[in-house]
Amino acid sequence: MHELSIVEGILEAVIPEVEKYNVNKVLSIKLRIGELSGVVPECINYYFDIASRDTVAEGAKIVIEKVPVTIKCPDCGYDGVIKIGHFKCPECGGTGFKIISGKEYYVDSVEAE
């Protein structure tokens, strides 16, 4: 249920920003959500519909771009994507890698009129 607080945070960030530009309606909000973030996209959409009622964001489309898990392996230098559940370097099998992306979630862009 932490998606409700995430949606509230999205609205708290987006609405004041678009109101600065006298926007009448938010058409879409693009989110980037990492595969390891723990955020459930379906829940984001559900809570957004509820939380955005009677705001300039009501009816806006949520566009979610999933961010894959990418790593940097210090043992062999591999820099790339790994699959969820396969937490070993695909090149050398090492486990001492650093996660570069895949844990984040943020608003990437907003389309409004």
Side-chain angles (χ1 to χ4, degrees), residues 5-66:
S5 62
I6 292 170
V7 167
E8 289 170 338
I10 291 167
L11 291 170
E12 288 170 6
V14 168
I15 291 173
E17 191 61 30
V18 297
E19 287 177 345
K20 290 179 189 177
Y21 299 97
N22 297 317
V23 164
N24 295 318
K25 183 159 184 60
V26 174
L27 302 174
S28 68
I29 300 172
K30 182 178 177 184
L31 306 175
R32 290 183 45 89
I33 299 178
E35 291 180 331
L36 291 178
S37 68
V39 176
V40 180
E42 295 79 15
C43 292
I44 294 290
N45 286 312
Y46 174 79
Y47 288 121
F48 184 82
D49 289 342
I50 295 167
S52 65
R53 286 187 189 141
D54 300 323
T55 72
V56 296
E58 182 175 7
K61 181 179 178 184
I62 299 295
V63 179
I64 297 174
E65 181 181 340
K66 291 186 179 178

Side-chain angles (χ1 to χ4, degrees), residues 58-107:
E58 182 175 7
K61 181 179 178 184
I62 299 295
V63 179
I64 297 174
E65 181 181 340
K66 291 186 179 178
V67 179
V69 180
T70 60
I71 65 163
K72 175 72 175 169
C73 181
D75 297 331
C76 70
Y78 176 79
D79 188 358
V81 176
I82 62 170
K83 294 181 181 182
I84 299 293
H86 296 97
F87 294 108
K88 292 184 180 179
C89 174
E91 294 292 319
C92 71
T95 58
F97 55 81
K98 179 179 179 183
I99 296 174
I100 305 300
S101 70
K103 297 190 284 183
E104 66 273 23
Y105 59 89
Y106 61 89
V107 174

